[in-house]
Amino acid sequence: MRRPMFFQFVAILCLMLLIFDSKCAFEGAKTALDLCMKTVIPSLFPFFVVSMLLTASLGNMDFKLLCWLADLLSIPQAAAPILVPAFLGGYPVGAKSVADQYRNGIIEKQEAERLLAFCSNAGPSFLFGMVAAYFSDKQVVWQLWIIHILGAVFTAKIYPSPLLNDKKLEKVHHAKPQKELMRSAVTAMGIVCGWIIVFRILITFLKKWLLWLFPQWMQVLAIGILELSNGCCELMQVPDVSLRFVLCSCLLAFGGVCVLLQTCSVTEGLSLRHYLIGKTIQTLFSLVVSAIVSIKPEFLYLFIMVFLMGIPVKGKIRGRNSKLYPV
């Protein structure tokens, strides 16, 4: 009974705020709609559509590069197409692709939940289309993206993989009609924009009534933890470029509460416990590496070399048609 009462109290409190300070809510919603129309939809919606088409078309095909990456990250070969939207699609395209593969019977629930730990990441369209505007040196954005990818790979390498049995199973692929893929993309995009609007209104209230009490970098961090896009929009409030770099790297790795709720909306039936653990690992990795790189940028090449040296030169971890198991 306590949880419903808590949510009722929060709902009543929010309703009172909307009534007594409707102007603040209006400004927050207006800013969020502008952000969605000018940045979020142009950068994410094409990736929603293309990633769904790609994962659908690649379902029964083998590509050596994807198979090699699947072996490297200890994921089923049948789920290799997930890696494209996972690293290129942006939040929460990778998570949705994992959920789609699970619902189509290509991977089991246990493996899908593990994949959520490192297969949902900020995409290059977001980094180079939005984040780049807050750094005068465009090379910094490449550094942020490399650290972000290394963090995901690091998480995959240390995160335990489910045990497999010896039975080789055939790929099961259920192709959706194109109109169904478009409907899914539009629905997912609407969910993302809806959460961004809600969080922008919340952030507007917090900035007016609470956040102004704290230092600027703490305000940026708090806003970014709540919602990634709005947090990135506030980066210029941090004059120290090195601190801005570290903050941005951590925010990209964590994704924010809004991305968490977006992920929850598109991964119904899957637990997000592994997702949260994976995001925590990626954030800590990004914090350490970005702090070092901000002092000595050359160290980034050292990290890349260490990762390349750590790549196994051994046979396949899983058969090309293998799925996973036991539950």
PDB file of all heavy atoms in Angstrom, residues 33-64:
ATOM      1  N   LEU A  33      10.382  20.400 -26.736  1.00  0.00           N
ATOM      2  CA  LEU A  33       9.890  20.174 -28.094  1.00  0.00           C
ATOM      3  C   LEU A  33      10.883  20.699 -29.126  1.00  0.00           C
ATOM      4  O   LEU A  33      11.103  20.072 -30.171  1.00  0.00           O
ATOM      5  CB  LEU A  33       8.527  20.857 -28.275  1.00  0.00           C
ATOM      6  CG  LEU A  33       7.347  20.163 -27.594  1.00  0.00           C
ATOM      7  CD1 LEU A  33       6.107  21.046 -27.641  1.00  0.00           C
ATOM      8  CD2 LEU A  33       7.065  18.816 -28.254  1.00  0.00           C
ATOM      9  N   ASP A  34      11.484  21.850 -28.817  1.00  0.00           N
ATOM     10  CA  ASP A  34      12.492  22.410 -29.715  1.00  0.00           C
ATOM     11  C   ASP A  34      13.702  21.488 -29.812  1.00  0.00           C
ATOM     12  O   ASP A  34      14.234  21.250 -30.904  1.00  0.00           O
ATOM     13  CB  ASP A  34      12.915  23.795 -29.188  1.00  0.00           C
ATOM     14  CG  ASP A  34      13.790  24.541 -30.181  1.00  0.00           C
ATOM     15  OD1 ASP A  34      13.344  24.750 -31.324  1.00  0.00           O
ATOM     16  OD2 ASP A  34      14.924  24.910 -29.811  1.00  0.00           O
ATOM     17  N   LEU A  35      14.106  20.930 -28.679  1.00  0.00           N
ATOM     18  CA  LEU A  35      15.233  19.995 -28.647  1.00  0.00           C
ATOM     19  C   LEU A  35      14.906  18.729 -29.434  1.00  0.00           C
ATOM     20  O   LEU A  35      15.740  18.228 -30.206  1.00  0.00           O
ATOM     21  CB  LEU A  35      15.576  19.644 -27.195  1.00  0.00           C
ATOM     22  CG  LEU A  35      16.686  18.620 -26.962  1.00  0.00           C
ATOM     23  CD1 LEU A  35      18.025  19.166 -27.453  1.00  0.00           C
ATOM     24  CD2 LEU A  35      16.775  18.270 -25.474  1.00  0.00           C
ATOM     25  N   CYS A  36      13.698  18.217 -29.253  1.00  0.00           N
ATOM     26  CA  CYS A  36      13.286  17.006 -29.972  1.00  0.00           C
ATOM     27  C   CYS A  36      13.247  17.231 -31.482  1.00  0.00           C
ATOM     28  O   CYS A  36      13.743  16.409 -32.259  1.00  0.00           O
ATOM     29  CB  CYS A  36      11.917  16.536 -29.479  1.00  0.00           C
ATOM     30  SG  CYS A  36      11.923  15.833 -27.819  1.00  0.00           S
ATOM     31  N   MET A  37      12.650  18.350 -31.911  1.00  0.00           N
ATOM     32  CA  MET A  37      12.468  18.610 -33.338  1.00  0.00           C
ATOM     33  C   MET A  37      13.789  18.915 -34.037  1.00  0.00           C
ATOM     34  O   MET A  37      14.011  18.492 -35.177  1.00  0.00           O
ATOM     35  CB  MET A  37      11.495  19.775 -33.541  1.00  0.00           C
ATOM     36  CG  MET A  37      10.079  19.479 -33.081  1.00  0.00           C
ATOM     37  SD  MET A  37       9.330  18.076 -33.943  1.00  0.00           S
ATOM     38  CE  MET A  37       9.247  18.698 -35.608  1.00  0.00           C
ATOM     39  N   LYS A  38      14.688  19.635 -33.354  1.00  0.00           N
ATOM     40  CA  LYS A  38      15.915  20.091 -34.008  1.00  0.00           C
ATOM     41  C   LYS A  38      17.091  19.129 -33.834  1.00  0.00           C
ATOM     42  O   LYS A  38      18.013  19.139 -34.658  1.00  0.00           O
ATOM     43  CB  LYS A  38      16.319  21.472 -33.477  1.00  0.00           C
ATOM     44  CG  LYS A  38      15.367  22.577 -33.884  1.00  0.00           C
ATOM     45  CD  LYS A  38      15.870  23.932 -33.403  1.00  0.00           C
ATOM     46  CE  LYS A  38      14.945  25.057 -33.853  1.00  0.00           C
ATOM     47  NZ  LYS A  38      15.425  26.378 -33.360  1.00  0.00           N
ATOM     48  N   THR A  39      17.073  18.322 -32.783  1.00  0.00           N
ATOM     49  CA  THR A  39      18.245  17.485 -32.493  1.00  0.00           C
ATOM     50  C   THR A  39      17.911  16.004 -32.351  1.00  0.00           C
ATOM     51  O   THR A  39      18.479  15.155 -33.048  1.00  0.00           O
ATOM     52  CB  THR A  39      18.945  17.972 -31.205  1.00  0.00           C
ATOM     53  OG1 THR A  39      19.295  19.343 -31.353  1.00  0.00           O
ATOM     54  CG2 THR A  39      20.201  17.157 -30.945  1.00  0.00           C
ATOM     55  N   VAL A  40      17.005  15.676 -31.442  1.00  0.00           N
ATOM     56  CA  VAL A  40      16.780  14.279 -31.083  1.00  0.00           C
ATOM     57  C   VAL A  40      16.190  13.482 -32.240  1.00  0.00           C
ATOM     58  O   VAL A  40      16.716  12.428 -32.615  1.00  0.00           O
ATOM     59  CB  VAL A  40      15.869  14.181 -29.839  1.00  0.00           C
ATOM     60  CG1 VAL A  40      15.581  12.720 -29.502  1.00  0.00           C
ATOM     61  CG2 VAL A  40      16.529  14.868 -28.651  1.00  0.00           C
ATOM     62  N   ILE A  41      15.111  13.967 -32.828  1.00  0.00           N
ATOM     63  CA  ILE A  41      14.471  13.230 -33.927  1.00  0.00           C
ATOM     64  C   ILE A  41      15.381  13.133 -35.152  1.00  0.00           C
ATOM     65  O   ILE A  41      15.559  12.039 -35.701  1.00  0.00           O
ATOM     66  CB  ILE A  41      13.107  13.856 -34.284  1.00  0.00           C
ATOM     67  CG1 ILE A  41      12.135  13.683 -33.110  1.00  0.00           C
ATOM     68  CG2 ILE A  41      12.523  13.220 -35.545  1.00  0.00           C
ATOM     69  CD1 ILE A  41      10.783  14.326 -33.319  1.00  0.00           C
ATOM     70  N   PRO A  42      15.992  14.246 -35.616  1.00  0.00           N
ATOM     71  CA  PRO A  42      16.891  14.112 -36.774  1.00  0.00           C
ATOM     72  C   PRO A  42      18.064  13.172 -36.545  1.00  0.00           C
ATOM     73  O   PRO A  42      18.521  12.493 -37.469  1.00  0.00           O
ATOM     74  CB  PRO A  42      17.386  15.554 -36.999  1.00  0.00           C
ATOM     75  CG  PRO A  42      16.337  16.413 -36.407  1.00  0.00           C
ATOM     76  CD  PRO A  42      15.834  15.661 -35.214  1.00  0.00           C
ATOM     77  N   SER A  43      18.573  13.106 -35.303  1.00  0.00           N
ATOM     78  CA  SER A  43      19.749  12.275 -35.055  1.00  0.00           C
ATOM     79  C   SER A  43      19.398  10.829 -34.729  1.00  0.00           C
ATOM     80  O   SER A  43      20.192   9.924 -34.991  1.00  0.00           O
ATOM     81  CB  SER A  43      20.591  12.865 -33.914  1.00  0.00           C
ATOM     82  OG  SER A  43      19.862  12.857 -32.698  1.00  0.00           O
ATOM     83  N   LEU A  44      18.206  10.586 -34.155  1.00  0.00           N
ATOM     84  CA  LEU A  44      17.867   9.232 -33.717  1.00  0.00           C
ATOM     85  C   LEU A  44      16.911   8.487 -34.648  1.00  0.00           C
ATOM     86  O   LEU A  44      17.082   7.293 -34.883  1.00  0.00           O
ATOM     87  CB  LEU A  44      17.238   9.280 -32.318  1.00  0.00           C
ATOM     88  CG  LEU A  44      18.176   9.289 -31.115  1.00  0.00           C
ATOM     89  CD1 LEU A  44      17.363   9.167 -29.832  1.00  0.00           C
ATOM     90  CD2 LEU A  44      19.195   8.174 -31.188  1.00  0.00           C
ATOM     91  N   PHE A  45      15.885   9.167 -35.175  1.00  0.00           N
ATOM     92  CA  PHE A  45      14.851   8.452 -35.932  1.00  0.00           C
ATOM     93  C   PHE A  45      15.397   7.689 -37.142  1.00  0.00           C
ATOM     94  O   PHE A  45      15.020   6.535 -37.362  1.00  0.00           O
ATOM     95  CB  PHE A  45      13.740   9.412 -36.364  1.00  0.00           C
ATOM     96  CG  PHE A  45      12.598   8.710 -37.041  1.00  0.00           C
ATOM     97  CD1 PHE A  45      11.757   7.868 -36.326  1.00  0.00           C
ATOM     98  CD2 PHE A  45      12.383   8.869 -38.401  1.00  0.00           C
ATOM     99  CE1 PHE A  45      10.715   7.213 -36.952  1.00  0.00           C
ATOM    100  CE2 PHE A  45      11.344   8.216 -39.030  1.00  0.00           C
ATOM    101  CZ  PHE A  45      10.496   7.384 -38.305  1.00  0.00           C
ATOM    102  N   PRO A  46      16.306   8.300 -37.958  1.00  0.00           N
ATOM    103  CA  PRO A  46      16.855   7.511 -39.065  1.00  0.00           C
ATOM    104  C   PRO A  46      17.552   6.241 -38.589  1.00  0.00           C
ATOM    105  O   PRO A  46      17.473   5.193 -39.250  1.00  0.00           O
ATOM    106  CB  PRO A  46      17.850   8.476 -39.725  1.00  0.00           C
ATOM    107  CG  PRO A  46      17.370   9.828 -39.347  1.00  0.00           C
ATOM    108  CD  PRO A  46      16.823   9.674 -37.967  1.00  0.00           C
ATOM    109  N   PHE A  47      18.220   6.314 -37.418  1.00  0.00           N
ATOM    110  CA  PHE A  47      18.900   5.136 -36.897  1.00  0.00           C
ATOM    111  C   PHE A  47      17.901   4.100 -36.388  1.00  0.00           C
ATOM    112  O   PHE A  47      18.161   2.897 -36.473  1.00  0.00           O
ATOM    113  CB  PHE A  47      19.873   5.536 -35.784  1.00  0.00           C
ATOM    114  CG  PHE A  47      21.195   6.018 -36.296  1.00  0.00           C
ATOM    115  CD1 PHE A  47      21.416   7.359 -36.534  1.00  0.00           C
ATOM    116  CD2 PHE A  47      22.220   5.122 -36.566  1.00  0.00           C
ATOM    117  CE1 PHE A  47      22.622   7.806 -37.017  1.00  0.00           C
ATOM    118  CE2 PHE A  47      23.440   5.557 -37.047  1.00  0.00           C
ATOM    119  CZ  PHE A  47      23.648   6.907 -37.279  1.00  0.00           C
ATOM    120  N   PHE A  48      16.766   4.535 -35.850  1.00  0.00           N
ATOM    121  CA  PHE A  48      15.733   3.586 -35.459  1.00  0.00           C
ATOM    122  C   PHE A  48      15.290   2.764 -36.664  1.00  0.00           C
ATOM    123  O   PHE A  48      15.234   1.533 -36.621  1.00  0.00           O
ATOM    124  CB  PHE A  48      14.517   4.326 -34.880  1.00  0.00           C
ATOM    125  CG  PHE A  48      14.584   4.565 -33.400  1.00  0.00           C
ATOM    126  CD1 PHE A  48      14.607   5.849 -32.890  1.00  0.00           C
ATOM    127  CD2 PHE A  48      14.606   3.511 -32.508  1.00  0.00           C
ATOM    128  CE1 PHE A  48      14.663   6.082 -31.527  1.00  0.00           C
ATOM    129  CE2 PHE A  48      14.661   3.721 -31.144  1.00  0.00           C
ATOM    130  CZ  PHE A  48      14.688   5.021 -30.650  1.00  0.00           C
ATOM    131  N   VAL A  49      14.965   3.459 -37.753  1.00  0.00           N
ATOM    132  CA  VAL A  49      14.448   2.793 -38.950  1.00  0.00           C
ATOM    133  C   VAL A  49      15.505   1.881 -39.569  1.00  0.00           C
ATOM    134  O   VAL A  49      15.263   0.696 -39.837  1.00  0.00           O
ATOM    135  CB  VAL A  49      13.957   3.822 -39.986  1.00  0.00           C
ATOM    136  CG1 VAL A  49      13.486   3.122 -41.261  1.00  0.00           C
ATOM    137  CG2 VAL A  49      12.832   4.669 -39.404  1.00  0.00           C
ATOM    138  N   VAL A  50      16.711   2.444 -39.794  1.00  0.00           N
ATOM    139  CA  VAL A  50      17.761   1.685 -40.470  1.00  0.00           C
ATOM    140  C   VAL A  50      18.205   0.489 -39.637  1.00  0.00           C
ATOM    141  O   VAL A  50      18.441  -0.604 -40.172  1.00  0.00           O
ATOM    142  CB  VAL A  50      18.961   2.604 -40.797  1.00  0.00           C
ATOM    143  CG1 VAL A  50      20.129   1.786 -41.336  1.00  0.00           C
ATOM    144  CG2 VAL A  50      18.554   3.670 -41.809  1.00  0.00           C
ATOM    145  N   SER A  51      18.340   0.674 -38.315  1.00  0.00           N
ATOM    146  CA  SER A  51      18.797  -0.433 -37.466  1.00  0.00           C
ATOM    147  C   SER A  51      17.790  -1.574 -37.457  1.00  0.00           C
ATOM    148  O   SER A  51      18.165  -2.749 -37.455  1.00  0.00           O
ATOM    149  CB  SER A  51      19.065   0.064 -36.044  1.00  0.00           C
ATOM    150  OG  SER A  51      17.869   0.476 -35.419  1.00  0.00           O
ATOM    151  N   MET A  52      16.493  -1.245 -37.462  1.00  0.00           N
ATOM    152  CA  MET A  52      15.474  -2.291 -37.492  1.00  0.00           C
ATOM    153  C   MET A  52      15.494  -3.033 -38.827  1.00  0.00           C
ATOM    154  O   MET A  52      15.395  -4.263 -38.878  1.00  0.00           O
ATOM    155  CB  MET A  52      14.090  -1.685 -37.244  1.00  0.00           C
ATOM    156  CG  MET A  52      13.883  -1.202 -35.825  1.00  0.00           C
ATOM    157  SD  MET A  52      12.283  -0.414 -35.594  1.00  0.00           S
ATOM    158  CE  MET A  52      12.487   0.257 -33.951  1.00  0.00           C
ATOM    159  N   LEU A  53      15.637  -2.283 -39.916  1.00  0.00           N
ATOM    160  CA  LEU A  53      15.740  -2.910 -41.233  1.00  0.00           C
ATOM    161  C   LEU A  53      16.994  -3.773 -41.324  1.00  0.00           C
ATOM    162  O   LEU A  53      16.979  -4.875 -41.875  1.00  0.00           O
ATOM    163  CB  LEU A  53      15.757  -1.842 -42.326  1.00  0.00           C
ATOM    164  CG  LEU A  53      14.436  -1.132 -42.611  1.00  0.00           C
ATOM    165  CD1 LEU A  53      14.665   0.035 -43.570  1.00  0.00           C
ATOM    166  CD2 LEU A  53      13.421  -2.094 -43.203  1.00  0.00           C
ATOM    167  N   LEU A  54      18.091  -3.253 -40.761  1.00  0.00           N
ATOM    168  CA  LEU A  54      19.370  -3.955 -40.835  1.00  0.00           C
ATOM    169  C   LEU A  54      19.344  -5.249 -40.041  1.00  0.00           C
ATOM    170  O   LEU A  54      19.745  -6.308 -40.540  1.00  0.00           O
ATOM    171  CB  LEU A  54      20.495  -3.050 -40.338  1.00  0.00           C
ATOM    172  CG  LEU A  54      21.921  -3.544 -40.539  1.00  0.00           C
ATOM    173  CD1 LEU A  54      22.212  -3.694 -42.023  1.00  0.00           C
ATOM    174  CD2 LEU A  54      22.907  -2.574 -39.909  1.00  0.00           C
ATOM    175  N   THR A  55      18.867  -5.182 -38.795  1.00  0.00           N
ATOM    176  CA  THR A  55      18.822  -6.390 -37.970  1.00  0.00           C
ATOM    177  C   THR A  55      17.853  -7.406 -38.559  1.00  0.00           C
ATOM    178  O   THR A  55      18.064  -8.621 -38.443  1.00  0.00           O
ATOM    179  CB  THR A  55      18.411  -6.066 -36.524  1.00  0.00           C
ATOM    180  OG1 THR A  55      17.205  -5.284 -36.540  1.00  0.00           O
ATOM    181  CG2 THR A  55      19.487  -5.292 -35.808  1.00  0.00           C
ATOM    182  N   ALA A  56      16.785  -6.916 -39.202  1.00  0.00           N
ATOM    183  CA  ALA A  56      15.838  -7.839 -39.842  1.00  0.00           C
ATOM    184  C   ALA A  56      16.464  -8.511 -41.062  1.00  0.00           C
ATOM    185  O   ALA A  56      16.294  -9.704 -41.288  1.00  0.00           O
ATOM    186  CB  ALA A  56      14.573  -7.089 -40.249  1.00  0.00           C
ATOM    187  N   SER A  57      17.225  -7.735 -41.866  1.00  0.00           N
ATOM    188  CA  SER A  57      17.799  -8.286 -43.095  1.00  0.00           C
ATOM    189  C   SER A  57      19.043  -9.128 -42.845  1.00  0.00           C
ATOM    190  O   SER A  57      19.358 -10.034 -43.622  1.00  0.00           O
ATOM    191  CB  SER A  57      18.154  -7.144 -44.058  1.00  0.00           C
ATOM    192  OG  SER A  57      19.129  -6.295 -43.487  1.00  0.00           O
ATOM    193  N   LEU A  58      19.760  -8.844 -41.738  1.00  0.00           N
ATOM    194  CA  LEU A  58      20.986  -9.587 -41.443  1.00  0.00           C
ATOM    195  C   LEU A  58      20.727 -10.834 -40.604  1.00  0.00           C
ATOM    196  O   LEU A  58      21.660 -11.566 -40.285  1.00  0.00           O
ATOM    197  CB  LEU A  58      21.982  -8.697 -40.691  1.00  0.00           C
ATOM    198  CG  LEU A  58      22.601  -7.536 -41.474  1.00  0.00           C
ATOM    199  CD1 LEU A  58      23.561  -6.768 -40.577  1.00  0.00           C
ATOM    200  CD2 LEU A  58      23.325  -8.020 -42.711  1.00  0.00           C
ATOM    201  N   GLY A  59      19.475 -11.064 -40.254  1.00  0.00           N
ATOM    202  CA  GLY A  59      19.161 -12.142 -39.317  1.00  0.00           C
ATOM    203  C   GLY A  59      19.688 -13.493 -39.729  1.00  0.00           C
ATOM    204  O   GLY A  59      20.130 -14.280 -38.897  1.00  0.00           O
ATOM    205  N   ASN A  60      19.652 -13.842 -41.012  1.00  0.00           N
ATOM    206  CA  ASN A  60      20.097 -15.160 -41.468  1.00  0.00           C
ATOM    207  C   ASN A  60      21.374 -15.092 -42.298  1.00  0.00           C
ATOM    208  O   ASN A  60      21.656 -15.980 -43.091  1.00  0.00           O
ATOM    209  CB  ASN A  60      18.982 -15.820 -42.292  1.00  0.00           C
ATOM    210  CG  ASN A  60      17.810 -16.220 -41.414  1.00  0.00           C
ATOM    211  OD1 ASN A  60      18.001 -16.754 -40.327  1.00  0.00           O
ATOM    212  ND2 ASN A  60      16.593 -15.949 -41.866  1.00  0.00           N
ATOM    213  N   MET A  61      22.138 -14.038 -42.151  1.00  0.00           N
ATOM    214  CA  MET A  61      23.362 -13.872 -42.931  1.00  0.00           C
ATOM    215  C   MET A  61      24.555 -13.801 -41.994  1.00  0.00           C
ATOM    216  O   MET A  61      24.447 -13.366 -40.849  1.00  0.00           O
ATOM    217  CB  MET A  61      23.293 -12.596 -43.779  1.00  0.00           C
ATOM    218  CG  MET A  61      22.137 -12.580 -44.779  1.00  0.00           C
ATOM    219  SD  MET A  61      22.004 -11.000 -45.635  1.00  0.00           S
ATOM    220  CE  MET A  61      23.526 -11.007 -46.562  1.00  0.00           C
ATOM    221  N   ASP A  62      25.710 -14.222 -42.491  1.00  0.00           N
ATOM    222  CA  ASP A  62      26.953 -14.187 -41.714  1.00  0.00           C
ATOM    223  C   ASP A  62      27.924 -13.193 -42.333  1.00  0.00           C
ATOM    224  O   ASP A  62      28.193 -13.229 -43.530  1.00  0.00           O
ATOM    225  CB  ASP A  62      27.617 -15.565 -41.679  1.00  0.00           C
ATOM    226  CG  ASP A  62      26.873 -16.522 -40.773  1.00  0.00           C
ATOM    227  OD1 ASP A  62      26.336 -16.051 -39.760  1.00  0.00           O
ATOM    228  OD2 ASP A  62      26.820 -17.718 -41.094  1.00  0.00           O
ATOM    229  N   PHE A  63      28.461 -12.315 -41.513  1.00  0.00           N
ATOM    230  CA  PHE A  63      29.516 -11.409 -41.934  1.00  0.00           C
ATOM    231  C   PHE A  63      30.712 -11.646 -41.028  1.00  0.00           C
ATOM    232  O   PHE A  63      30.571 -11.659 -39.800  1.00  0.00           O
ATOM    233  CB  PHE A  63      29.048  -9.953 -41.854  1.00  0.00           C
ATOM    234  CG  PHE A  63      28.088  -9.563 -42.941  1.00  0.00           C
ATOM    235  CD1 PHE A  63      26.720  -9.718 -42.776  1.00  0.00           C
ATOM    236  CD2 PHE A  63      28.552  -9.041 -44.140  1.00  0.00           C
ATOM    237  CE1 PHE A  63      25.830  -9.358 -43.771  1.00  0.00           C
ATOM    238  CE2 PHE A  63      27.676  -8.678 -45.146  1.00  0.00           C
ATOM    239  CZ  PHE A  63      26.314  -8.843 -44.968  1.00  0.00           C
ATOM    240  N   LYS A  64      31.876 -11.811 -41.634  1.00  0.00           N
ATOM    241  CA  LYS A  64      33.061 -12.199 -40.868  1.00  0.00           C
ATOM    242  C   LYS A  64      33.383 -11.189 -39.770  1.00  0.00           C
ATOM    243  O   LYS A  64      33.741 -11.566 -38.655  1.00  0.00           O
ATOM    244  CB  LYS A  64      34.255 -12.375 -41.803  1.00  0.00           C
ATOM    245  CG  LYS A  64      34.138 -13.609 -42.695  1.00  0.00           C
ATOM    246  CD  LYS A  64      35.387 -13.812 -43.531  1.00  0.00           C
ATOM    247  CE  LYS A  64      35.271 -15.088 -44.383  1.00  0.00           C
ATOM    248  NZ  LYS A  64      36.485 -15.309 -45.206  1.00  0.00           N
TER     249      LYS A  64
END
